[in-house]
Amino acid sequence: MVAAGDVLLAPGTTRRLIAGFSRLDGTPRAPLKERVAVVLETDPEEPFSPVTTASPYPAYRFHVTETTQTRTTPPGRGTKPHSPEYRLAADALRGLRQDLFHDAFAYRPLPRMRTDGPLVRRLPAGLRQYAAWTPHAAVSLAGLLAALGASHEGRMEGGLSSLLMAFLVLGPVLLTLVRPVGAFWCSLAATPVSAVLGSTVWDWPWLPGNFFSHLLVMTVVALRTRPRTAAWMWLLTGVYGTAAETFFGWGHEGTNTMQLLSVSALALLVVTVRHTRRAAEREVTAQQTETAQERSRRTLLEERTTIARELHDVVAHHMSVVAIQAEAAPYRVENTPPELEKAFATIRENAVAALTELRRVLGVVRAEDYEAPDAPQPTLADLDALLTNVREAGLTVDKVLTGAVRELPQGVELSAYRIVQEALSNALRHAPGATARVEIGYVLGGLGLRIVNGPAPQVALEKSTHGAGHGLTGMRERVSMLNGEMTAGETDDGGYEVTVFLPVTTAEAPA
């Protein structure tokens, strides 16, 4: 409710109100006696509105005496919330409908067994192909045994009665191979028919053949579905058995519903534990796979960050040389033209700006525990010192040089040094006491590396845990950065070999 007053509405505005209104020029309008919806429309004969200059449509002044507000209750808001017990019961009934009623007779053939198991692999090749049908044969054989016993439970020995009793027992069992949930309903429906046709007074409401058949059906269906379905089958079986004993159990000396529920509960419990264990194994396997992938990605990022930090020094050195030479160049030439001096100044400014950006990049990729190296980044000239340290650690290593030794781009030499270093570290870690050989070949198109180690003199009882075990990842990243090629694998004598080729173009070669 709002107080009465004047309200200005632009054309096209809709309101529900009880009001009298007039145009701004003072022309009166009849008051509205009831709630109406007012939609302003174009009136070409009216004068131009003083309220707005955007459109030649008239504006109206409403003398509001009363406004009403109608609230629409959203769907479902007006109903009383259900209790937790009601929601629990509704969820249970929804689960029952989904598990045992929805597509109960859907075609779901039992898949064949895998033939790559430890026991099946030991069979001859001729029998191995038939081993895949072992589950089908086992279920069919159990159904035949139940049918054989049920054929002697009819009121009349032999003839049509025996065949009908055997069919009522065997049919649901065989149906579990193609339509598992429908097989349960068929077994439950066949039980009272068999009880009517049977002649026993001791076993009620489950004849021996039906007892074994229904137990087998529930077990197979539980194996092929999920634990909740097994619980619903067990509950419905108990409901039927209790109802049959209560209303139709007169004239029978003994009942066996509790026996069936006890035995089936044990069987279904074993099946449930099997389902739970397999689900846990799948979850653990998925988590391990995801963890391995995350670890691999993290290792890859760490290796790339390490490479970026190392190459920063190389690039910064070159940019510093460019800046110094650009600053000194005008002083080395007499009567330098102003245009040339300006060009050298521009080169120096760009080089200094690039160095500043490089420092910022280094700040981004620097780890918290990163310490700036005191010495320059190593090159192939420092390889002899590395081999000396490796020999002192217990690895016999030789170096072989081929081709004309020449100076290579600093990034190539740094990567080659790190690759040799990591390969020798892997040899120390996995083959302590072995012999190794480092071959370096200077060829026309680049640099070739081959690091090979022999097998360890004695097999270590425990696997070494020194190092992260991701050296190959770093080597591949360095090779990929330089558009090179790399192969790594075991040798015929049990050792390990790493072969790398790093291309060097003529434009990249230092002057």
Side-chain angles (χ1 to χ4, degrees), residues 43 111 121 141 151 196 204 221 291 320 357 384 439 463 487:
D43 188 356
R121 284 199 301 263
L141 179 60
S151 62
V196 172
W204 178 265
V221 175
T291 303
S320 300
E357 296 299 329
D384 291 335
E439 299 178 1
K463 185 179 179 180
T487 58

Side-chain angles (χ1 to χ4, degrees), residues 162-213:
S162 299
L163 291 178
L164 183 58
M165 292 291 292
F167 174 77
L168 291 175
V169 171
L170 179 61
V173 175
L174 296 180
L175 194 61
T176 58
L177 301 177
V178 288
R179 306 182 191 275
V181 178
F184 166 76
W185 290 113
C186 290
S187 177
L188 200 62
T191 300
V193 178
S194 299
V196 172
L197 298 177
S199 59
T200 179
V201 295
W202 293 99
D203 299 315
W204 178 265
W206 312 91
L207 274 64
N210 294 101
F211 188 100
F212 182 73
S213 172

